[in-house]
């Protein structure tokens, strides 16, 4: 049994993991960089340890500093969250040596799935459909170009070590190939220290459908249904939901069972996500497997009523999946949608917007969950991802769910850095989105307003001011508002 767990992460995911530990009576240890001394995840944990300077490589990515914190606090398990060390096999191996449980799969699974070329080869061998392409045995530009001709255009050049939408280039025409190749390799080398690429046929106007899978230490694997993450900007997810709208039941079942087959073929243990791309013709292909808890896991929790972090903990302790389901069939109940609230400026090419959160307040409603790692006074810095919160709503139907989430996003008050809430609201109320006809080019093709026009903005501010003065006569807000220059 785990009695003390260290969370090797920060922000909303650290807070979210600590919450489950509290529920289960597990002691928690937070780690923090100098930029996060006063962060909610630090306040919430039973103990906390400084792991270095703000730069990730000095703190949250510094394996020896994190190991030192594990030893010092005698934690018996580590949750890596997502990002940072969550997909680094060397971190999992180091913990194994210390006899500390790592809440993730084996280092071998991470190694295999972390390399997109090897995982494609492995999946193909296991009978899982992969996107037609070239696995990059030969990295010579001329050879790659010859292979590109065979695949046909448009195609994707992708980094084998890629992630987070980086190291990926869409190529429309043969004459663009060599220059795109060069820039993909350069970007991959810079972001991942590895310039190796492979080629994939470009699936046109596709949908991104992924499946939540779980494996236990007894050889069992199951799925917790699909999530649709087609609403993306630059290959990065903005809105995610479950179930996937307008997906025939037979196709859903097939995708879910192929995902289980994929995980079984590598004897996967713990939480994982198998990502697929679904073409207009109904054919789907394996894209990659993420060997960690995914950012969008709350939508799955909402529709299944399960706590996936609790599952990770129990699986690591050696429990069987059948103990977790208590023999019950897990079903999809209703609909859940997640929107990622970012400190970024939609009007200025979505550039991250940094600074102090002068005031932040989320609505408190039924069927709404807000996962955040910041509070009024927190600072959005250049060191980390500018995600402020994930807002997740549930509804009996997709329509009810989308309306609830839109209203909640509209009622969110954030003074300080510019955020994308207006943009999110625009997507959630968009007619095509409401019909559920989504695909990965949706945001490029649809005209979604980036920010309110001046008149609406003035109205909104007066409403906000009125609402605030009603609700909170406390100080702080007024000073904050004054600094913001709105009054
Ligand atoms: P996914 O849904 O596949 O997790 P994301 O867009 O959420 O995709 O994340 C892409 C990559 O960036 C992942 O490796 C994820 O772990 C990482 N990432 C996302 N947000 C953060 C964050 N706040 N801090 C650190 N890493 C992050
Ligand atoms: P990452 O590791 O960065 O998450 P993925 O392979 O999961 O990379 O792809 C991210 C997104 O890029 C997908 O969700 C999809 O929108 C787009 N994409 C990736 N491969 C293809 C492809 N072959 N055809 C069309 N779109 C693709
Ligand atoms: Mg992906």
């Amino acid at each position: 049994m785990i009695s003390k767990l260290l969370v090797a992460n920060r922000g909303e995911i650290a807070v979210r993991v600590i919450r489950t530990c509290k529920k289960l009576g597990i002691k928690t240890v937070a780690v923090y960089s100098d930029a996060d001394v006063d962060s909610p995840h630090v306040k919430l944990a039973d103990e906390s340890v400084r792991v270095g300077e703000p730069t990730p490589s000095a703190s949250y990515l510094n394996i020896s500093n994190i190991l030192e914190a594990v030893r010092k606090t005698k934690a018996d398990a580590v949750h890596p969250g997502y990002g940072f060390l969550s997909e680094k096999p060397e971190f999992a191996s180091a913990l194994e040596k210390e006899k500390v449980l790592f809440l993730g799969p084996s280092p071998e699974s991470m190694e295999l799935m972390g390399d997109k070329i090897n995982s494609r080869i492995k999946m193909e061998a296991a009978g899982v459909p992969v996107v037609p392409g070239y696995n990059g045995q030969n990295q010579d530009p001329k050879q790659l170009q010859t292979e590109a001709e065979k695949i046909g255009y448009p195609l994707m050049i992708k980094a084998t070590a890629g992630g987070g939408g980086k190291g990926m280039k869409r190529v429309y025409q043969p004459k663009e190939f060599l220059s795109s190749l060069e820039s993909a390799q350069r970007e991959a080398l810079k972001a991942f220290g590895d310039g190796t690429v492979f080629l994939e046929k470009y699936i046109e106007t596709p949908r991104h459908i992924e499946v939540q899978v779980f494996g236990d230490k007894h050889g069992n694997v199951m799925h917790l249904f699909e999530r649709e993450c087609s609403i993306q900007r630059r290959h990065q997810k903005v809105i995610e939901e479950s179930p996937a709208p307008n997906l025939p039941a037979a196709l859903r079942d097939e995708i879910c069972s192929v995902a289980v087959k994929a995980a079984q073929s590598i004897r996967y243990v713990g939480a994982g996500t198998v990502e697929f791309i679904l073409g207009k013709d109904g054919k789907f292909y394996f894209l990659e497997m993420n060997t960690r808890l995914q950012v969008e896991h709350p939508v799955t929790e909402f529709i299944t009523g399960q706590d996936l972090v609790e599952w990770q903990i129990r699986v690591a302790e050696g429990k069987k999946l059948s103990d977790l389901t208590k023999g019950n069939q897990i079903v999809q109940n209703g609909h859940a949608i997640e929107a990622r609230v970012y400190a970024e400026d939609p009007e200025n090419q979505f550039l991250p917007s940094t600074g102090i959160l002068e005031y932040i307040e989320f609505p408190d409603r039924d069927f709404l969950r807000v996962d955040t790692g910041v509070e009024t006074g927190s600072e959005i810095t250049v060191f980390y991802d500018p995600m402020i919160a994930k807002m997740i709503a549930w509804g009996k139907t997709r329509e009810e769910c989308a309306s609830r989430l839109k209203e909640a996003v509209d009622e969110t008050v954030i003074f300080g850095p510019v955020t994308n809430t207006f943009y999110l609201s625009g997507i959630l109320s968009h007619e095509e989105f409401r019909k559920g006809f989504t695909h990965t080019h949706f945001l490029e093709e649809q005209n979604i307003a980036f920010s309110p026009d001046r008149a609406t903005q003035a109205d909104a501010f007066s409403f906000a001011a009125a609402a605030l003065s009603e609700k909170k006569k406390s100080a702080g807000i007024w000073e904050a508002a004054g600094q913001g220059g709105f009054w």
Side-chain angles (χ1 to χ4, degrees):
M1 290 289 276
I2 294 171
S3 57
K4 195 192 265 189
L5 183 141
L6 181 143
V7 188
N9 214 301
R10 64 180 300 281
E12 65 88 14
I13 193 64
V15 169
R16 189 256 164 278
V17 171
I18 293 170
R19 291 239 152 86
T20 290
C21 291
K22 286 192 181 293
K23 182 180 85 181
L24 301 178
I26 295 172
K27 289 261 172 294
T28 52
V29 181
V31 295
Y32 61 92
S33 74
D34 291 337
D36 287 336
V37 183
D38 296 320
S39 292
H41 81 277
V42 178
K43 293 179 199 159
L44 208 58
D46 297 307
E47 289 172 67
S48 58
V49 182
R50 174 188 179 268
V51 286
E53 286 170 13
T55 329
S57 60
S59 48
Y60 299 107
L61 280 171
N62 186 322
I63 295 183
S64 63
N65 287 6
I66 305 244
L67 286 181
E68 196 47 48
V70 172
R71 288 187 205 112
K72 196 168 131 192
T73 57
K74 300 195 171 63
D76 47 18
V78 170
H79 195 299
Y82 53 74
F84 296 128
L85 297 172
S86 64
E87 290 173 289
K88 297 259 187 295
E90 57 273 28
F91 183 52
S93 300
L95 290 169
E96 213 167 68
K97 282 203 200 84
E98 304 262 337
K99 306 231 171 338
V100 171
L101 283 176
F102 173 75
L103 270 65
S106 66
E108 294 74 32
S109 294
M110 289 161 82
E111 184 106 47
L112 177 65
M113 289 303 175
D115 181 310
K116 293 192 179 185
I117 292 180
N118 286 342
S119 64
R120 276 170 57 89
I121 295 170
K122 179 77 191 173
M123 288 300 113
E124 222 166 352
V128 172
V130 304
V131 185
Y134 174 67
N135 291 336
Q137 295 85 339
N138 185 336
Q139 292 282 307
D140 175 54
K142 282 272 166 286
Q143 179 65 29
L144 286 168
Q145 194 170 27
T146 309
E147 295 297 336
E149 295 298 329
K150 286 191 215 160
I151 297 165
Y153 290 84
L155 57 80
M156 286 288 245
I157 303 176
K158 286 181 162 185
T160 189
K166 288 200 203 85
M168 211 183 286
K169 289 274 173 292
R170 197 190 309 176
V171 193
Y172 295 94
Q173 294 174 48
K175 64 171 199 276
E176 298 166 359
F177 184 81
L178 289 174
S179 62
S180 298
L181 175 65
E182 207 185 303
S183 90
Q185 287 170 326
R186 201 178 333 111
E187 195 177 310
L189 195 63
K190 189 164 164 251
F192 315 109
D194 179 355
T196 312
V197 297
F198 63 103
L199 309 176
E200 268 182 10
K201 181 181 163 58
Y202 189 78
I203 309 297
E204 305 215 41
T205 339
R207 295 169 67 178
H208 174 115
I209 310 269
E210 58 183 38
V211 181
Q212 177 69 56
V213 294
F214 247 97
D216 66 18
K217 292 182 174 172
H218 308 274
N220 306 300
V221 176
M222 66 181 285
H223 71 81
L224 287 110
F225 302 101
E226 84 287 7
R227 291 184 289 257
E228 164 134 26
C229 315
S230 299
I231 305 293
Q232 307 182 344
R233 217 184 61 79
R234 297 204 183 139
H235 310 303
Q236 293 199 49
K237 301 158 186 169
V238 179
I239 305 262
E240 305 100 340
E241 62 185 297
S242 187
N246 305 319
L247 187 68
L251 184 53
R252 172 191 344 271
D253 292 348
E254 197 190 339
I255 296 177
C256 290
S257 47
V258 169
V260 168
K261 180 157 94 176
Q264 264 164 349
S265 75
I266 59 164
R267 286 188 216 89
Y268 193 80
V269 174
T273 295
V274 186
E275 297 190 333
F276 295 98
I277 191 124
L278 170 66
K280 279 188 289 197
D281 55 4
K283 287 201 184 126
F284 64 92
Y285 308 93
F286 170 85
L287 269 185
E288 64 162 342
M289 179 169 187
N290 291 322
T291 56
R292 54 174 162 88
L293 195 67
Q294 206 103 336
V295 175
E296 58 275 19
H297 76 279
V299 299
T300 301
E301 297 188 318
F302 244 145
I303 57 136
T304 60
Q306 304 298 314
D307 178 335
L308 298 193
V309 172
E310 181 175 349
W311 279 47
Q312 288 185 296
I313 290 171
R314 297 310 182 207
V315 159
E317 289 175 339
K319 294 262 177 345
K320 288 187 175 157
L321 292 173
S322 54
D323 298 331
L324 299 175
T325 60
K326 301 182 186 80
N328 296 324
Q329 181 80 24
I330 304 279
V331 291
Q332 278 176 311
N333 173 31
H335 202 99
I337 308 180
E338 170 180 285
R340 300 188 188 189
V341 178
Y342 275 96
E344 63 183 15
D345 187 355
E347 271 191 308
N348 189 11
Q349 292 157 41
F350 292 87
L351 282 178
S353 164
T354 55
I356 305 273
L357 287 162
E358 304 287 358
Y359 183 76
I360 180 160
E361 187 178 336
F362 295 98
D364 183 5
R365 289 165 154 247
D366 290 341
F367 310 109
L368 176 71
R369 165 173 168 181
V370 179
D371 281 18
T372 183
V374 295
E375 58 194 5
T376 294
S378 297
E379 185 175 358
I380 305 294
T381 69
V382 294
F383 300 111
Y384 314 114
D385 189 272
M387 189 165 79
I388 294 177
K390 305 187 303 208
M391 300 183 72
I392 314 105
W394 182 90
K396 281 189 294 301
T397 61
R398 185 172 185 270
E399 184 58 33
E400 183 180 55
C401 175
S403 301
R404 278 184 179 149
L405 187 56
K406 186 208 174 285
E407 280 168 30
V409 167
D410 288 345
E411 282 175 21
T412 297
V413 183
I414 303 173
F415 287 138
V418 183
T419 76
N420 65 342
T421 50
F422 193 85
Y423 186 64
L424 293 175
S425 174
I427 301 169
L428 292 167
S429 52
H430 196 283
E431 201 185 329
E432 288 297 303
F433 175 81
R434 287 297 178 104
K435 287 187 202 148
F437 294 125
T438 59
H439 53 77
T440 61
H441 306 305
F442 183 85
L443 295 181
E444 279 163 53
E445 287 176 10
Q446 301 297 336
N447 196 12
I448 291 153
F450 288 152
S451 60
D453 57 47
R454 292 280 163 216
T456 334
Q457 204 161 21
D459 276 356
F461 285 137
S462 355
F463 279 128
L468 286 173
S469 65
E470 268 301 300
K471 269 172 101 171
K472 309 225 178 241
K473 295 238 157 64
S474 58
I477 303 168
W478 300 108
E479 285 133 49
Q483 278 169 15
F486 300 123
W487 266 260

